[in-house]
């Protein structure tokens, strides 16, 4: 039989263990603020009491978020508020009402408005700590017949991947265009280089290769514009490659 085990469900055991741990930490936090309130001689007592209530609420609110992050928001909030009230009661009991809310207050001094005010401050601080930076759930419309419902979270990586691919393609296209323009200007610069060698140099307008003074390929001079060609280049077209009237 499973009755020999204290808790039949591991999830229930974990929940109760964390609740007990949160209550224990609330008592330790109360003890710390109580010691600070007793030895405090620089800050006004009521200012320290408000700061202690708010500090306990914030700390226990974040601890509740940490311990019960797999549980619902109302459960985390309830645990944080309960732990904060427990901490303030322990704080008041240790300091006899100097800090926190004293549960042993005499009947003639009740209701303890100062203690109730500190409780309200602690509850507000713990609520803010639990509710801060919450991730809002995305509302998804119900799928109609023939449609497949996809989780919004699964589409986010795909969108990021598509966006990164598009950016990479655009960057590569820009680099190719820039490289093509750079190569064009480099060729133009090489073609436009002026060689001051003291001798006139010629280039064949057909193959754009230099023509030597005694070129082994042969030289043909246009009778109209006097442009020099390689003989084999001239034989290919049979005419001058410089635009002018061919008689």
């Amino acid at each position: 039989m499973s009755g020999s085990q204290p808790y039949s469900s591991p999830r229930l055991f974990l929940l109760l263990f964390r609740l007990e741990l949160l209550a224990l930490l609330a008592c330790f936090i109360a003890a710390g603020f109580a010691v600070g309130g007793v030895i405090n001689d620089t800050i006004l007592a009521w200012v320290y009491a408000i700061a202690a209530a708010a500090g306990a609420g914030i700390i226990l609110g974040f601890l509740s978020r940490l311990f019960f992050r797999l549980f619902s928001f109302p459960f985390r909030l309830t645990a944080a508020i309960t732990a904060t009230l427990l901490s303030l009661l322990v704080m008041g009991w240790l300091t006899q009402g100097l800090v926190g809310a004293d549960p042993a207050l005499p009947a003639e001094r009740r209701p303890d408005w100062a203690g109730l005010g500190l409780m309200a401050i602690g509850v507000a601080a713990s609520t803010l700590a639990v509710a801060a930076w919450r991730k809002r759930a995305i509302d998804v419309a119900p799928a109609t017949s023939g449609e497949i419902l996809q989780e919004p979270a699964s589409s986010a990586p795909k969108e990021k991947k598509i966006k990164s691919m598009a950016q990479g393609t655009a960057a590569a296209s820009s680099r190719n265009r820039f490289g093509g323009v750079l190569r064009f200007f480099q060729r133009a610069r090489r073609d436009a280089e002026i060689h001051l060698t003291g001798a006139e140099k010629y280039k064949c307008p057909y193959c754009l290769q230099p023509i030597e003074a005694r070129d082994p390929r042969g030289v043909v001079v246009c009778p109209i514009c006097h442009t020099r060609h390689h003989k084999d280049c001239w034989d290919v077209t049979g005419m001058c490659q410089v635009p002018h009237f061919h008689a």
Side-chain angles (χ1 to χ4, degrees), residues 34-246:
V35 172
V38 172
I39 65 176
N40 171 51
D41 57 354
T42 57
I43 305 175
L44 296 176
W46 64 273
V47 175
Y48 182 85
I50 293 176
I58 292 174
I59 295 173
L60 292 169
F62 280 108
L63 287 176
S64 178
R65 291 182 63 168
L66 177 64
F67 290 168
F68 309 110
R69 60 182 180 273
L70 300 180
F71 294 84
S72 62
F73 171 75
F75 184 86
R76 294 196 300 269
L77 181 60
T78 303
I81 291 176
T82 305
T84 302
L85 295 177
L86 174 62
S87 179
L88 291 174
L89 290 173
V90 174
M91 206 181 300
W93 177 71
L94 292 175
T95 60
Q96 297 182 352
L98 180 63
V99 182
D102 187 6
L105 193 69
E108 60 271 13
R109 294 179 56 188
R110 297 180 180 177
D112 184 11
W113 296 110
L116 293 176
L118 293 176
M119 285 184 174
I121 293 174
V123 169
S126 61
T127 302
L128 290 175
V130 175
W133 305 297
R134 286 182 60 201
K135 294 182 179 180
R136 296 185 177 180
I138 301 176
D139 296 332
V140 181
T144 59
S145 59
E147 294 182 355
I148 300 176
L149 183 61
Q150 297 181 352
E151 295 181 0
S154 62
S155 61
K158 294 181 180 179
E159 293 178 357
K160 291 182 179 179
K161 185 176 180 180
I162 294 174
K163 186 177 180 180
S164 61
M165 291 176 62
Q167 292 176 350
T169 304
S173 178
S174 300
R175 288 194 298 268
N176 291 336
R177 287 197 297 268
F178 178 76
V181 173
L182 183 62
R183 287 192 297 271
F184 171 79
F185 281 107
Q186 288 176 348
R187 287 197 303 268
R189 182 179 179 182
R190 288 196 302 266
D191 294 341
E193 286 181 349
I194 300 176
H195 301 277
L196 300 178
T197 59
E200 188 176 4
K201 291 191 174 182
Y202 302 93
K203 282 189 177 182
C204 176
Y206 184 83
C207 66
L208 302 180
Q209 297 297 322
I211 299 177
E212 304 297 336
R214 297 181 180 180
D215 202 293
R217 298 170 57 184
V219 179
V220 176
V221 180
C222 176
I224 299 176
C225 64
H226 306 290
T227 301
R228 299 189 180 190
H229 301 66
H230 288 117
K231 184 178 185 304
D232 51 354
C233 296
W234 181 278
D235 294 338
V236 173
T237 59
M239 64 178 63
C240 180
Q241 297 304 302
V242 177
H244 56 71
F245 176 76
H246 300 279

